[in-house]
């Protein structure tokens, strides 16, 4: 069903570009009581993708919540993307989603068929993940927003975290980069329909296949790349693991037209927030073009998974990921993890 509502016109910012900056977010938690529970395996202390609570030795629940303003004009597509983005946090922890709750804010004036299409888009993506929508909550708001609270399950012995990378690991990423820049160009009427179709396909693709393909290999750490961009999330991995990451700027696959748009200054506001947060511990070589650096700070809505894998398993994992995700052929070996000896946590060459 098509509607005449253009959702992105109803929002000041789009998708994960609406996230509070990582630096500001960290400061909001300063001084909070240090609440401890031996069964809380992952909380907010290491900026990981989801919370993990152990129920028994072989079973833990994985919980996450994610919602944002429209990143696509079509309501059904927006619902799919928002759901895929929320489900990704479960996959980044190595878990399997089982239930989801809708979170929705809509203007009272929004046509009911558009609201229904957002919910239908989310429900179809949850079903594709093998989970079920079990309820939710909605409110009226001047700006539409949608997302999910997702619960998953995992064996604690198979838990993936973003703070357990090991020296010598190879970094492999699974989606093309530049989602925020390209959606900004689309919102401004600069990019074309072919670019819209591609970026919406990338954003609505679940990370399920990539997560399942990685299970047989020695993946030491994992995170999904979303609002804090490649450099923000990689920095969190390096900080949490007490390591130093070196990235090869020429190894990334960028969405078509993204570097040209970035060179024109077509950048979402989140680029500047991410740069302010990360630049103190990120060193970018002078040889790296400014447009490339800007896109590495670009907030990614429903981005891919970043795996930190044992070097002896890197070739096999890369091949498995390419075979598992033919719809988004952008598996990239982007860098390596080294020992930290002070100075920058992330080096871009």
């Amino acid at each position: 069903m098509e509607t005449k509502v253009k959702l992105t016109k109803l929002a000041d910012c789009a998708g994960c570009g609406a996230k509070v900056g990582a630096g500001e977010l960290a400061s909001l938690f300063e001084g909070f009581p240090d609440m401890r529970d031996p069964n809380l395996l992952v909380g907010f202390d290491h900026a990981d993708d989801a919370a993990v609570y152990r129920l028994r030795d072989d079973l833990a629940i994985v919980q996450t919540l994610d919602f944002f303003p429209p990143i696509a004009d079509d309501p059904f597509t927006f619902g799919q993307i928002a759901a895929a983005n929320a489900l990704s946090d479960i996959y980044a922890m190595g878990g399997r989603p089982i239930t989801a709750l809708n979170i929705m804010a809509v203007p009272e004036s929004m046509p009911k068929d558009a609201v229904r299409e957002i919910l239908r888009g989310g429900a179809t993506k949850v079903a594709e993940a093998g989970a079920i929508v079990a309820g939710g909550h909605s409110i009226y708001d001047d700006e539409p927003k949608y997302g999910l609270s997702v619960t998953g399950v995992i064996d604690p012995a198979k838990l993936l975290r973003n703070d357990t990378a090991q020296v010598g690991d190879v970094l492999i990423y699974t989606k093309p980069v530049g989602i925020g820049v390209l959606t900004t160009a689309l919102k401004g009427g600069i990019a074309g329909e072919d670019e819209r179709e591609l970026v919406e396909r990338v954003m609505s693709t679940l990370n399920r296949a990539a997560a399942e393909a990685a299970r047989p290999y020695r993946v030491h750490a994992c995170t999904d790349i979303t609002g804090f961009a490649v450099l923000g999330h990689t920095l969190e991995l390096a900080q949490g693991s007490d390591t130093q990451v070196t990235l090869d700027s020429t190894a990334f696959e960028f969405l078509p037209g993204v570097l040209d748009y970035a060179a024109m200054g077509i950048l979402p506001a989140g680029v500047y927030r991410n740069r302010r947060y990360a630049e103190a511990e990120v060193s970018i070589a002078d040889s790296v073009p400014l447009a490339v650096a800007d896109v590495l700070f670009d907030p990614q809505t429903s981005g891919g998974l970043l795996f930190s894998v044992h070097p002896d398993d890197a070739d096999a994992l890369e091949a498995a990921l390419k075979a598992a995700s033919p719809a988004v052929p952008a598996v990239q070996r982007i860098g390596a993890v080294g020992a930290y000896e002070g100075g920058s946590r992330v080096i871009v060459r």
Side-chain angles (χ1 to χ4, degrees):
M1 177 188 299
E2 292 187 0
T3 72
K4 296 181 179 179
V5 176
K6 285 190 175 294
L7 292 181
T8 61
K9 303 300 183 185
L10 302 179
D12 290 334
C13 54
C16 285
K19 289 178 71 170
V20 176
E24 182 179 352
L25 190 61
S27 69
L28 295 175
F29 288 97
E30 290 179 359
F32 275 34
D34 186 16
M35 294 181 290
R36 295 289 176 178
D37 183 327
N39 289 313
L40 182 63
L41 305 181
V42 181
F44 61 76
D45 48 337
H46 284 291
D48 219 321
D49 296 297
V52 181
Y53 192 88
R54 180 172 52 208
L55 299 177
R56 59 179 194 241
D57 288 346
D58 63 345
L59 180 66
I61 57 171
V62 188
Q63 293 180 293
T64 188
L65 185 155
D66 212 314
F67 68 107
F68 48 58
I71 190 74
D73 282 326
D74 177 68
F76 180 80
T77 303
F78 169 47
Q80 285 195 311
I81 293 168
N85 182 75
L87 289 158
S88 181
D89 287 340
I90 304 296
Y91 296 128
M93 306 299 294
R96 176 176 63 87
I98 55 173
T99 62
L101 302 175
N102 288 311
I103 304 159
M104 171 173 271
V106 292
E108 288 191 68
S109 59
M110 181 176 284
K112 289 184 178 179
D113 63 337
V115 177
R116 176 180 169 82
E117 285 297 283
I118 294 172
L119 293 170
R120 189 172 73 88
T124 60
K125 197 55 61 171
V126 171
E128 183 183 334
I132 187 169
V133 176
H137 184 68
S138 60
I139 63 170
Y140 287 123
D141 192 2
D142 291 339
E143 184 178 89
K145 303 171 186 70
Y146 175 67
L148 299 173
S149 172
V150 187
T151 298
V153 292
I154 191 171
D155 180 340
K158 299 177 181 178
L159 173 64
L160 296 177
R161 304 176 55 132
N162 72 351
D163 61 351
T164 49
Q166 297 184 15
V167 173
D169 279 358
V170 172
L171 297 179
I172 299 176
Y173 183 55
T174 64
K175 284 189 180 182
V177 182
I179 291 170
V181 171
L182 188 49
T183 53
T184 299
L186 285 166
K187 190 173 182 179
I190 299 170
E193 286 305 307
D194 288 346
E195 291 165 309
R196 181 189 303 278
E197 189 279 332
L198 174 59
V199 72
E200 290 180 353
R201 175 160 54 88
V202 169
M203 290 187 289
S204 62
T205 297
L206 289 176
N207 283 323
R208 176 180 182 174
E212 291 176 350
R215 285 176 185 156
Y217 303 102
R218 286 173 287 178
V219 173
H220 294 141
C222 181
T223 188
D224 63 341
I225 304 298
T226 55
F228 301 151
V230 169
L231 291 179
H233 288 288
T234 302
L235 176 59
E236 289 179 340
L237 181 146
Q239 289 172 326
S241 306
D242 194 23
T243 58
Q244 183 178 72
V245 168
T246 301
L247 299 178
D248 178 0
S249 64
T250 67
F252 287 91
E253 181 166 337
F254 299 101
L255 286 162
V258 159
L259 294 181
D260 291 336
Y261 294 135
M264 294 164 59
I266 301 172
L267 302 170
V271 168
Y272 304 101
R273 288 196 298 268
N274 288 333
R275 187 183 289 274
R276 286 194 297 271
Y277 160 66
E279 63 183 352
E281 293 192 73
V282 173
S283 174
I284 301 177
D286 292 339
S287 59
V288 177
L290 177 59
V292 172
D294 283 339
V295 177
L296 295 181
F297 284 113
D298 177 41
Q300 305 298 285
T301 298
S302 192
L305 296 180
L306 176 64
F307 295 104
S308 183
V309 61
H310 190 288
D312 292 344
D313 283 0
D315 288 343
L317 174 58
E318 185 175 7
L321 291 171
K322 289 179 178 178
S325 304
V328 185
V331 176
Q332 310 137 73
R333 191 180 302 209
I334 61 170
V337 179
Y340 179 61
E341 298 177 355
S344 300
R345 286 285 189 182
V346 178
I347 298 171
V348 184
R349 293 175 177 162

